[in-house]
Amino acid sequence: MTAKEFGFRLYQFREQRQLSMAELARQIGIDYMQVHRYERGQSVPSLETAVRLANVLQIPLDVLVTGKEAPVPVAPIRNARLLQQVQELETLPPERQELASRLLEAVIAGELDAVARRIRRL
């Protein structure tokens, strides 16, 4: 992380929260000119100040420091049969996994309903 990269991220998150430099500085207990120096890449905050910045901006510290978003938690699969099938799919070759994924997308989109009705009539 460079000071410039950190400063740019700080600026972006501050703007997203619609905070002025003065308001951000007031909330974390520093002079607004220090926020200005951070955003310009002229200095970086101490760890303690960076934690306060992240808290006020309502973002994880690692997102502020690295710019990498935290992974989105995936809801657990509650249906035991589906869970077993997904685990089995993980063992298949990539081309078979892709086929299964496309079939699932079609089922979710309702595109296979007409095909299923035709099959039932046969």
Side-chain angles (χ1 to χ4, degrees):
M1 167 199 81
T2 68
K4 290 260 185 214
E5 292 168 337
F6 177 85
F8 183 69
R9 280 191 296 278
L10 177 60
Y11 166 77
Q12 287 181 312
F13 288 121
R14 180 179 63 76
E15 287 290 312
Q16 285 175 4
R17 297 288 182 266
Q18 299 179 339
L19 292 170
S20 67
M21 283 187 204
E23 181 59 26
L24 179 59
R26 186 190 65 73
Q27 288 189 36
I28 65 169
I30 63 173
D31 184 75
Y32 83 94
M33 283 305 295
Q34 191 59 45
V35 173
H36 176 75
R37 286 188 282 274
Y38 296 153
E39 288 188 4
R40 305 278 282 168
Q42 296 169 339
S43 66
V44 291
S46 67
L47 179 58
E48 180 182 325
T49 302
V51 168
R52 290 197 315 260
L53 284 166
N55 287 337
V56 169
L57 296 170
Q58 301 172 2
I59 55 173
L61 178 61
D62 60 332
V63 172
L64 178 61
V65 173
T66 67
K68 295 180 182 173
E69 290 292 329
V72 177
V74 177
I77 298 174
R78 291 190 272 286
N79 182 307
R81 183 173 171 213
L82 283 177
L83 177 61
Q84 180 184 1
Q85 290 170 332
V86 168
Q87 290 169 339
E88 289 173 15
L89 284 172
E90 287 287 321
T91 66
L92 297 178
E95 61 276 1
R96 298 285 306 262
Q97 290 180 17
E98 179 62 25
L99 175 62
S101 178
R102 288 182 183 204
L103 285 170
L104 283 172
E105 288 171 355
V107 168
I108 292 168
E111 296 170 3
L112 288 184
D113 291 343
V115 174
R117 282 192 295 276
R118 280 189 241 139
I119 291 172
R120 286 187 198 120
R121 281 187 248 150
L122 297 176

